[in-house]
Amino acid sequence: MDIGSISAALAGIKGTVELTSAAIAVRDNAKIADALKGLNDRIIELQNVCIQAQEEYSAAKEQVTALKDERRELQAKIAELSQQADDRAHYQIHQLSDGAFVYAFQHAADNGTPMHYLCQPCMDNRGQKAILQRVPDGTHLRCPECHNHYLTGKRLTLTRAVARSPYLGRR
């Protein structure tokens, strides 16, 4: 064998090795690309699941906040209604004259609060304690809130202590 043939044979073997190496590299690159595509698809799928879970968490958190706010509002309303019920327990419906109903304070002697009347529509419809005020002619009482007038059926006179009240002026 001559050197030319050996050199050609070695060049052929070298070419075959390079071709085989290139084919193996192409095959490996294709496998790596397929594996990367699979991994990327799985990563995208997991990201979508995470986004969906975050949205559900956010919605649940908003719902919990709304429920807490509603609970606070209901507790405040319960406290207000309880206070109104406690206040109302001190009053009893009273007929001043035919068809003139008011709420009369019941425990005047117990705690030093003077006897007074509340407007029945204001108390029942609005939950307001509107103390009825005597009008100058003394024959009826007037509500300062709704301006209803209540005939007393008799002429009421101002007592001396009330007549000297700084709110009414000197007489």
Side-chain angles (χ1 to χ4, degrees):
M1 291 218 148
D2 69 7
I3 290 210
S5 315
I6 294 176
S7 173
L10 283 177
I13 292 174
K14 182 180 175 189
T16 303
V17 168
E18 286 177 4
L19 209 63
T20 303
S21 292
I24 290 173
V26 167
R27 183 200 66 192
D28 289 348
N29 286 340
K31 284 184 178 181
I32 289 172
D34 284 345
L36 284 176
K37 183 183 179 301
L39 283 174
N40 284 337
D41 290 345
R42 185 70 179 138
I43 288 171
I44 290 171
E45 182 181 321
L46 288 174
Q47 286 175 335
N48 288 335
V49 168
C50 286
I51 289 171
Q52 182 180 2
Q54 285 176 335
E55 289 171 353
E56 289 173 2
Y57 170 77
S58 178
K61 188 175 180 180
E62 288 175 11
Q63 187 178 15
V64 166
T65 301
L67 288 172
K68 284 180 180 179
D69 291 344
E70 183 180 354
R71 180 175 180 238
R72 263 190 299 278
E73 290 170 6
L74 289 173
Q75 285 176 331
K77 185 68 174 172
I78 288 169
E80 178 185 341
L81 290 173
S82 177
Q83 181 62 43
Q84 285 178 357
D86 289 346
D87 287 346
R88 191 175 288 259
H90 297 287
Y91 295 88
Q92 185 174 1
I93 197 78
H94 175 74
Q95 185 172 356
L96 281 178
S97 61
D98 287 340
F101 292 95
V102 296
Y103 280 105
F105 189 65
Q106 294 300 306
H107 306 289
D110 295 346
N111 64 6
T113 302
M115 178 60 188
H116 59 277
Y117 298 109
L118 297 181
C119 177
Q120 178 266 323
C122 286
M123 184 78 149
D124 288 341
N125 300 335
R126 299 183 201 160
Q128 284 183 304
K129 287 174 54 175
I131 297 176
L132 299 177
Q133 304 296 312
R134 186 174 298 148
V135 295
D137 71 2
T139 60
H140 60 280
L141 301 173
R142 181 180 162 274
C143 175
E145 295 296 323
C146 69
H147 307 291
N148 281 342
H149 288 262
Y150 298 90
L151 292 175
T152 61
K154 58 186 172 188
R155 184 175 220 52
L156 299 173
T157 57
L158 296 174
T159 63
R160 191 157 183 82
V162 174
R164 290 188 181 164
S165 170
Y167 301 108
L168 296 176
R170 293 253 182 231
R171 293 209 171 181

mmCIF file with all atom_site columns, all heavy atoms in Angstrom, residues 11-25:
data_model
loop_
_atom_site.group_PDB
_atom_site.id
_atom_site.type_symbol
_atom_site.label_atom_id
_atom_site.label_alt_id
_atom_site.label_comp_id
_atom_site.label_asym_id
_atom_site.label_entity_id
_atom_site.label_seq_id
_atom_site.pdbx_PDB_ins_code
_atom_site.Cartn_x
_atom_site.Cartn_y
_atom_site.Cartn_z
_atom_site.occupancy
_atom_site.B_iso_or_equiv
_atom_site.pdbx_formal_charge
_atom_site.auth_seq_id
_atom_site.auth_comp_id
_atom_site.auth_asym_id
_atom_site.auth_atom_id
_atom_site.pdbx_PDB_model_num
ATOM 1  N N   . ALA A 1 11 ? -8.219  9.727  5.278  1.00 0.00 ? 11 ALA A N   1
ATOM 2  C CA  . ALA A 1 11 ? -9.080  10.874 5.013  1.00 0.00 ? 11 ALA A CA  1
ATOM 3  C C   . ALA A 1 11 ? -10.528 10.410 4.957  1.00 0.00 ? 11 ALA A C   1
ATOM 4  O O   . ALA A 1 11 ? -11.453 11.088 5.447  1.00 0.00 ? 11 ALA A O   1
ATOM 5  C CB  . ALA A 1 11 ? -8.677  11.565 3.724  1.00 0.00 ? 11 ALA A CB  1
ATOM 6  N N   . GLY A 1 12 ? -10.784 9.221  4.339  1.00 0.00 ? 12 GLY A N   1
ATOM 7  C CA  . GLY A 1 12 ? -12.132 8.670  4.271  1.00 0.00 ? 12 GLY A CA  1
ATOM 8  C C   . GLY A 1 12 ? -12.650 8.311  5.651  1.00 0.00 ? 12 GLY A C   1
ATOM 9  O O   . GLY A 1 12 ? -13.825 8.548  5.986  1.00 0.00 ? 12 GLY A O   1
ATOM 10 N N   . ILE A 1 13 ? -11.774 7.710  6.461  1.00 0.00 ? 13 ILE A N   1
ATOM 11 C CA  . ILE A 1 13 ? -12.177 7.338  7.828  1.00 0.00 ? 13 ILE A CA  1
ATOM 12 C C   . ILE A 1 13 ? -12.446 8.611  8.641  1.00 0.00 ? 13 ILE A C   1
ATOM 13 O O   . ILE A 1 13 ? -13.434 8.697  9.382  1.00 0.00 ? 13 ILE A O   1
ATOM 14 C CB  . ILE A 1 13 ? -11.084 6.476  8.487  1.00 0.00 ? 13 ILE A CB  1
ATOM 15 C CG1 . ILE A 1 13 ? -11.012 5.137  7.803  1.00 0.00 ? 13 ILE A CG1 1
ATOM 16 C CG2 . ILE A 1 13 ? -11.347 6.312  9.975  1.00 0.00 ? 13 ILE A CG2 1
ATOM 17 C CD1 . ILE A 1 13 ? -9.885  4.265  8.278  1.00 0.00 ? 13 ILE A CD1 1
ATOM 18 N N   . LYS A 1 14 ? -11.579 9.597  8.443  1.00 0.00 ? 14 LYS A N   1
ATOM 19 C CA  . LYS A 1 14 ? -11.743 10.854 9.149  1.00 0.00 ? 14 LYS A CA  1
ATOM 20 C C   . LYS A 1 14 ? -13.072 11.498 8.734  1.00 0.00 ? 14 LYS A C   1
ATOM 21 O O   . LYS A 1 14 ? -13.824 12.010 9.580  1.00 0.00 ? 14 LYS A O   1
ATOM 22 C CB  . LYS A 1 14 ? -10.564 11.779 8.834  1.00 0.00 ? 14 LYS A CB  1
ATOM 23 C CG  . LYS A 1 14 ? -10.640 13.080 9.581  1.00 0.00 ? 14 LYS A CG  1
ATOM 24 C CD  . LYS A 1 14 ? -9.451  13.967 9.240  1.00 0.00 ? 14 LYS A CD  1
ATOM 25 C CE  . LYS A 1 14 ? -9.610  15.309 9.910  1.00 0.00 ? 14 LYS A CE  1
ATOM 26 N NZ  . LYS A 1 14 ? -8.658  16.284 9.488  1.00 0.00 ? 14 LYS A NZ  1
ATOM 27 N N   . GLY A 1 15 ? -13.408 11.506 7.460  1.00 0.00 ? 15 GLY A N   1
ATOM 28 C CA  . GLY A 1 15 ? -14.661 12.064 6.951  1.00 0.00 ? 15 GLY A CA  1
ATOM 29 C C   . GLY A 1 15 ? -15.860 11.319 7.532  1.00 0.00 ? 15 GLY A C   1
ATOM 30 O O   . GLY A 1 15 ? -16.884 11.915 7.884  1.00 0.00 ? 15 GLY A O   1
ATOM 31 N N   . THR A 1 16 ? -15.725 9.962  7.581  1.00 0.00 ? 16 THR A N   1
ATOM 32 C CA  . THR A 1 16 ? -16.806 9.144  8.116  1.00 0.00 ? 16 THR A CA  1
ATOM 33 C C   . THR A 1 16 ? -17.004 9.453  9.601  1.00 0.00 ? 16 THR A C   1
ATOM 34 O O   . THR A 1 16 ? -18.143 9.581  10.081 1.00 0.00 ? 16 THR A O   1
ATOM 35 C CB  . THR A 1 16 ? -16.491 7.656  7.921  1.00 0.00 ? 16 THR A CB  1
ATOM 36 O OG1 . THR A 1 16 ? -16.279 7.407  6.538  1.00 0.00 ? 16 THR A OG1 1
ATOM 37 C CG2 . THR A 1 16 ? -17.597 6.776  8.432  1.00 0.00 ? 16 THR A CG2 1
ATOM 38 N N   . VAL A 1 17 ? -15.935 9.596  10.360 1.00 0.00 ? 17 VAL A N   1
ATOM 39 C CA  . VAL A 1 17 ? -16.008 9.915  11.783 1.00 0.00 ? 17 VAL A CA  1
ATOM 40 C C   . VAL A 1 17 ? -16.651 11.300 11.966 1.00 0.00 ? 17 VAL A C   1
ATOM 41 O O   . VAL A 1 17 ? -17.527 11.497 12.828 1.00 0.00 ? 17 VAL A O   1
ATOM 42 C CB  . VAL A 1 17 ? -14.611 9.851  12.430 1.00 0.00 ? 17 VAL A CB  1
ATOM 43 C CG1 . VAL A 1 17 ? -14.606 10.452 13.823 1.00 0.00 ? 17 VAL A CG1 1
ATOM 44 C CG2 . VAL A 1 17 ? -14.121 8.434  12.498 1.00 0.00 ? 17 VAL A CG2 1
ATOM 45 N N   . GLU A 1 18 ? -16.261 12.267 11.161 1.00 0.00 ? 18 GLU A N   1
ATOM 46 C CA  . GLU A 1 18 ? -16.826 13.615 11.261 1.00 0.00 ? 18 GLU A CA  1
ATOM 47 C C   . GLU A 1 18 ? -18.309 13.603 10.901 1.00 0.00 ? 18 GLU A C   1
ATOM 48 O O   . GLU A 1 18 ? -19.128 14.257 11.547 1.00 0.00 ? 18 GLU A O   1
ATOM 49 C CB  . GLU A 1 18 ? -16.055 14.574 10.328 1.00 0.00 ? 18 GLU A CB  1
ATOM 50 C CG  . GLU A 1 18 ? -14.680 14.942 10.861 1.00 0.00 ? 18 GLU A CG  1
ATOM 51 C CD  . GLU A 1 18 ? -13.899 15.833 9.893  1.00 0.00 ? 18 GLU A CD  1
ATOM 52 O OE1 . GLU A 1 18 ? -14.452 16.226 8.849  1.00 0.00 ? 18 GLU A OE1 1
ATOM 53 O OE2 . GLU A 1 18 ? -12.754 16.137 10.217 1.00 0.00 ? 18 GLU A OE2 1
ATOM 54 N N   . LEU A 1 19 ? -18.659 12.833 9.864  1.00 0.00 ? 19 LEU A N   1
ATOM 55 C CA  . LEU A 1 19 ? -20.049 12.720 9.444  1.00 0.00 ? 19 LEU A CA  1
ATOM 56 C C   . LEU A 1 19 ? -20.874 12.041 10.536 1.00 0.00 ? 19 LEU A C   1
ATOM 57 O O   . LEU A 1 19 ? -21.990 12.469 10.848 1.00 0.00 ? 19 LEU A O   1
ATOM 58 C CB  . LEU A 1 19 ? -20.117 11.917 8.145  1.00 0.00 ? 19 LEU A CB  1
ATOM 59 C CG  . LEU A 1 19 ? -21.260 12.242 7.226  1.00 0.00 ? 19 LEU A CG  1
ATOM 60 C CD1 . LEU A 1 19 ? -21.192 13.660 6.730  1.00 0.00 ? 19 LEU A CD1 1
ATOM 61 C CD2 . LEU A 1 19 ? -21.282 11.280 6.068  1.00 0.00 ? 19 LEU A CD2 1
ATOM 62 N N   . THR A 1 20 ? -20.318 11.002 11.117 1.00 0.00 ? 20 THR A N   1
ATOM 63 C CA  . THR A 1 20 ? -21.011 10.298 12.206 1.00 0.00 ? 20 THR A CA  1
ATOM 64 C C   . THR A 1 20 ? -21.149 11.216 13.411 1.00 0.00 ? 20 THR A C   1
ATOM 65 O O   . THR A 1 20 ? -22.212 11.273 14.050 1.00 0.00 ? 20 THR A O   1
ATOM 66 C CB  . THR A 1 20 ? -20.231 9.032  12.591 1.00 0.00 ? 20 THR A CB  1
ATOM 67 O OG1 . THR A 1 20 ? -20.069 8.214  11.442 1.00 0.00 ? 20 THR A OG1 1
ATOM 68 C CG2 . THR A 1 20 ? -20.944 8.249  13.675 1.00 0.00 ? 20 THR A CG2 1
ATOM 69 N N   . SER A 1 21 ? -20.114 11.954 13.726 1.00 0.00 ? 21 SER A N   1
ATOM 70 C CA  . SER A 1 21 ? -20.160 12.901 14.849 1.00 0.00 ? 21 SER A CA  1
ATOM 71 C C   . SER A 1 21 ? -21.197 13.975 14.585 1.00 0.00 ? 21 SER A C   1
ATOM 72 O O   . SER A 1 21 ? -21.964 14.368 15.489 1.00 0.00 ? 21 SER A O   1
ATOM 73 C CB  . SER A 1 21 ? -18.792 13.572 15.057 1.00 0.00 ? 21 SER A CB  1
ATOM 74 O OG  . SER A 1 21 ? -17.858 12.626 15.506 1.00 0.00 ? 21 SER A OG  1
ATOM 75 N N   . ALA A 1 22 ? -21.273 14.465 13.349 1.00 0.00 ? 22 ALA A N   1
ATOM 76 C CA  . ALA A 1 22 ? -22.257 15.492 12.997 1.00 0.00 ? 22 ALA A CA  1
ATOM 77 C C   . ALA A 1 22 ? -23.665 14.920 13.105 1.00 0.00 ? 22 ALA A C   1
ATOM 78 O O   . ALA A 1 22 ? -24.592 15.581 13.600 1.00 0.00 ? 22 ALA A O   1
ATOM 79 C CB  . ALA A 1 22 ? -21.993 16.022 11.599 1.00 0.00 ? 22 ALA A CB  1
ATOM 80 N N   . ALA A 1 23 ? -23.867 13.680 12.660 1.00 0.00 ? 23 ALA A N   1
ATOM 81 C CA  . ALA A 1 23 ? -25.187 13.045 12.737 1.00 0.00 ? 23 ALA A CA  1
ATOM 82 C C   . ALA A 1 23 ? -25.588 12.842 14.196 1.00 0.00 ? 23 ALA A C   1
ATOM 83 O O   . ALA A 1 23 ? -26.754 13.062 14.572 1.00 0.00 ? 23 ALA A O   1
ATOM 84 C CB  . ALA A 1 23 ? -25.166 11.717 11.992 1.00 0.00 ? 23 ALA A CB  1
ATOM 85 N N   . ILE A 1 24 ? -24.647 12.438 15.016 1.00 0.00 ? 24 ILE A N   1
ATOM 86 C CA  . ILE A 1 24 ? -24.927 12.252 16.441 1.00 0.00 ? 24 ILE A CA  1
ATOM 87 C C   . ILE A 1 24 ? -25.261 13.597 17.089 1.00 0.00 ? 24 ILE A C   1
ATOM 88 O O   . ILE A 1 24 ? -26.188 13.711 17.892 1.00 0.00 ? 24 ILE A O   1
ATOM 89 C CB  . ILE A 1 24 ? -23.728 11.556 17.143 1.00 0.00 ? 24 ILE A CB  1
ATOM 90 C CG1 . ILE A 1 24 ? -23.638 10.113 16.684 1.00 0.00 ? 24 ILE A CG1 1
ATOM 91 C CG2 . ILE A 1 24 ? -23.865 11.638 18.660 1.00 0.00 ? 24 ILE A CG2 1
ATOM 92 C CD1 . ILE A 1 24 ? -22.398 9.378  17.170 1.00 0.00 ? 24 ILE A CD1 1
ATOM 93 N N   . ALA A 1 25 ? -24.525 14.636 16.727 1.00 0.00 ? 25 ALA A N   1
ATOM 94 C CA  . ALA A 1 25 ? -24.780 15.977 17.268 1.00 0.00 ? 25 ALA A CA  1
ATOM 95 C C   . ALA A 1 25 ? -26.175 16.469 16.862 1.00 0.00 ? 25 ALA A C   1
ATOM 96 O O   . ALA A 1 25 ? -26.912 17.048 17.675 1.00 0.00 ? 25 ALA A O   1
ATOM 97 C CB  . ALA A 1 25 ? -23.708 16.958 16.802 1.00 0.00 ? 25 ALA A CB  1
#
